[in-house]
Amino acid sequence: MRPEELIRKKRDAGALTREEIFFLIEHYTRDAIPDYQMAAWLMAVFWRGMTPAETADLTEAMMRSGQVLDLSELPGAKVDKHSTGGVGDKTSLVIAPVVAAAGLPVPMISGRGLGHTGGTLDKLEAIPGFNVRLTLPEFRRALAEVGCALIGQTAEIAPADRKLYALRDVTATVESIPLITASILSKKLAEGIDALVLDVKVGSGAFMKDRESATRLARSLQEIGTRMGKRVVALLTNMDQVLGRAVGNALEVEEAVAVLKGEEREDLRALCRQLCAWMLVLGGAAQTLEEGGQRYDELVRSGAAAEKFRQIIARQGGDPRVVDDPRRLPQARERRDFPAPASGYLARMDAERIGRAAMVLGAGRARVEDAIDPAVGLVLHKKVGERMEQGEPLATLYFNHAERLADASARLEGAFRVEPSPPKPTPLVFETLT
Ligand code: URA
């Protein structure tokens, strides 16, 4: 087999066989195919697409390019959740302890934030001492002891994805449904899970801005995951406004803990409850979604979910006292209110602009190698549909570098639309693909 033949075959809209796909991925992972040939093949895939069978083979080849955890010695179905990324999305910090408290192991390998979207690892690292860099044997031990462990991708997990993603990033081949599907699923399925809940975000703060492309991605993820023998559900959820009210790492941990302890927090609590209910159903810990939701309520009300989060934090070297005293989280030195531009109802927010405002304060990174400041970010005082009076605080910015404030405030200027009458409510979950 020769790479140029496989590039030509895909260029001419052919479907590659399983052997051909495994050949490309295995050889590329061990540097036996150069970047220029792989880049040409990726561009051919970008234009020609892949059949579901090819996408499943690509996912499997990428997953098998590294270690695939076998967690069969742990009792219960292993379940996880993956979000395609949004602004203020701290659901993993709530969901992982709740589902682990229900007795299902949660092996969660997460990512970092980039651009306007946040990442679970950065949020966890805002907890003093929390170590996300466990080796796979340590990950497995932590999982066996407390029922949940949260770490970053290691060199052993799907190395093909690491190489391919870097190449896609510089060859304009990221936005391809089969390539995104294989990238996400190869990493998640290497965790040794039995079931996966996918939260595919759509809207101003999401990677997919329109409903049609988000639906295509959700369908592809659900179909390929199922083909690979896993129980998979994909929810298409609203990312037209910040999820919850906090954006920024320590601020988001504080908000996640509040939800874990039963505070309302609107859409954030509702989405956590629904995602958990699905995880419990797929993992066999609840018969119906309704029962899953009730289980969530009980675990939160009894304090079992918060206690599980303390255990997870302590097991990974962090300070569990943050669960009871958020002042132990990093605190910004200064804060400044951002006033409402007019009186009326908040009709729309541009979640991406808000995410970028938090990023310029230091909460996120523009490039992978940038450092972040865990203490900074912003908290919104209004959600879409709420009334406000001109000049009252619409948000509070938390910062350590005053020279960044003007840029952050300028980004917020155009991020809110105020109208005289309340907007039509939009659903939190648009569609659920089972
Ligand atoms: N997230 C991933 O992990 N991979 C992609 O290709 C896109 C988003």
Side-chain angles (χ1 to χ4, degrees):
M1 240 177 270
R2 298 177 59 83
E4 57 271 35
E5 288 164 8
L6 305 183
I7 298 167
R8 186 175 301 113
K9 189 170 178 184
K10 186 43 75 185
R11 183 199 67 187
D12 297 340
L16 269 60
T17 65
R18 180 175 169 82
E19 291 67 33
E20 288 168 339
I21 289 173
F22 270 75
F23 168 86
L24 279 175
I25 298 303
E26 281 169 8
H27 284 73
Y28 181 62
T29 308
R30 51 184 156 87
D31 299 326
I33 293 179
D35 279 351
Y36 55 81
Q37 283 188 309
M38 208 59 190
W41 183 75
L42 289 171
M43 190 54 88
V45 170
F46 180 91
W47 283 109
R48 295 303 196 176
M50 282 185 140
T51 64
E54 282 180 291
T55 310
D57 289 335
L58 179 64
T59 306
E60 190 176 339
M62 287 167 63
M63 176 183 85
R64 295 199 187 287
S65 68
Q67 274 193 44
V68 179
L69 289 175
D70 176 2
L71 300 175
S72 52
E73 83 279 5
L74 298 181
K78 273 60 72 179
V79 294
D80 194 8
K81 184 248 2 169
H82 175 80
S83 153
T84 55
V87 181
D89 182 3
K90 65 284 285 175
T91 54
S92 291
L93 272 54
V94 178
I95 284 165
V98 171
V99 175
L104 298 178
V106 184
M108 199 177 260
I109 299 182
S110 303
R112 295 199 179 271
L114 188 61
H116 67 284
T117 64
T120 300
L121 296 182
D122 298 323
K123 301 179 216 270
L124 289 168
E125 282 183 342
I127 300 171
F130 198 105
N131 179 15
V132 298
R133 295 170 197 266
L134 305 187
T135 62
L136 289 182
E138 286 167 347
F139 177 64
R140 192 186 277 274
R141 275 198 298 279
L143 195 54
E145 284 170 29
V146 296
C148 172
L150 301 123
I151 63 166
Q153 201 185 340
T154 71
E156 301 101 311
I157 296 286
D161 177 61
R162 199 177 276 247
K163 267 193 95 180
L164 281 169
Y165 195 86
L167 187 60
R168 286 167 58 207
D169 207 21
V170 293
T171 56
T173 50
V174 169
E175 304 90 339
S176 149
I177 300 277
L179 297 178
I180 298 171
T181 301
S183 168
I184 291 174
L185 290 181
S186 62
K187 288 175 289 209
K188 281 285 152 185
L189 302 190
E191 292 172 346
I193 49 174
D194 303 295
L196 179 64
V197 174
L198 292 151
D199 179 7
V200 179
K201 306 269 186 210
V202 54
S204 64
F207 182 51
M208 298 279 175
K209 308 278 185 216
D210 66 282
R211 199 55 199 273
E212 194 201 324
S213 46
T215 306
R216 279 196 295 129
L217 177 60
R219 280 220 180 90
S220 172
L221 288 164
Q222 202 275 335
E223 181 180 341
I224 303 303
T226 306
R227 253 178 191 262
M228 295 188 66
K230 309 296 172 190
R231 281 165 261 159
V232 182
V233 166
L235 280 74
L236 214 64
T237 72
N238 192 333
M239 190 19 82
D240 257 333
Q241 65 171 324
V242 169
L243 193 59
R245 294 182 179 232
V247 186
N249 298 287
L251 296 165
E252 292 193 43
V253 172
E254 184 175 346
E255 188 172 42
V257 166
V259 171
L260 209 45
K261 292 172 115 181
E263 283 187 30
E264 182 44 52
R265 309 286 167 134
E266 306 102 5
D267 53 352
L268 175 60
R269 175 189 164 275
L271 186 58
C272 289
R273 188 176 186 273
Q274 189 153 165
L275 294 170
C276 276
W278 270 114
M279 288 169 81
L280 298 177
V281 167
L282 295 188
Q287 295 301 311
T288 60
L289 265 189
E290 195 187 344
E291 190 190 325
Q294 286 165 359
R295 200 74 204 281
Y296 172 95
D297 297 338
E298 284 157 26
L299 291 162
V300 167
R301 197 180 318 119
S302 68
E307 175 52 21
K308 184 54 75 179
F309 196 36
R310 287 187 202 95
Q311 290 171 13
I312 294 167
I313 295 172
R315 184 62 185 73
Q316 292 192 230
D319 181 355
R321 292 174 297 177
V322 300
V323 174
D324 303 292
D325 181 6
R327 283 166 310 174
R328 292 184 177 274
L329 290 163
Q331 306 285 318
R333 285 188 296 274
E334 295 185 70
R335 63 174 73 177
R336 177 85 47 91
D337 287 336
F338 177 85
S343 296
Y345 292 90
L346 183 55
R348 213 186 113 71
M349 55 170 105
D350 183 336
E352 177 165 348
R353 282 187 84 102
I354 297 170
R356 291 205 182 272
M359 188 188 95
V360 301
L361 290 176
R365 46 176 84 73
R367 286 171 313 221
V368 199
E369 60 277 14
D370 292 348
I372 58 162
D373 180 344
V376 303
L378 55 94
V379 174
L380 299 175
H381 302 300
K382 302 288 173 192
K383 299 281 289 181
V384 169
E386 283 187 64
R387 197 180 155 83
M388 63 183 118
E389 301 308 321
Q390 186 174 16
E392 79 168 296
L394 174 49
T396 302
L397 289 86
Y398 294 79
F399 57 101
N400 283 325
H401 297 281
E403 70 279 10
R404 299 183 180 175
L405 196 61
D407 188 2
S409 301
R411 284 167 199 269
L412 287 186
E413 297 288 343
F416 304 97
R417 202 170 75 217
V418 184
E419 287 185 355
S421 46
K424 228 172 71 203
T426 48
L428 176 59
V429 177
F430 294 116
E431 206 176 328
T432 303
L433 307 171
T434 58

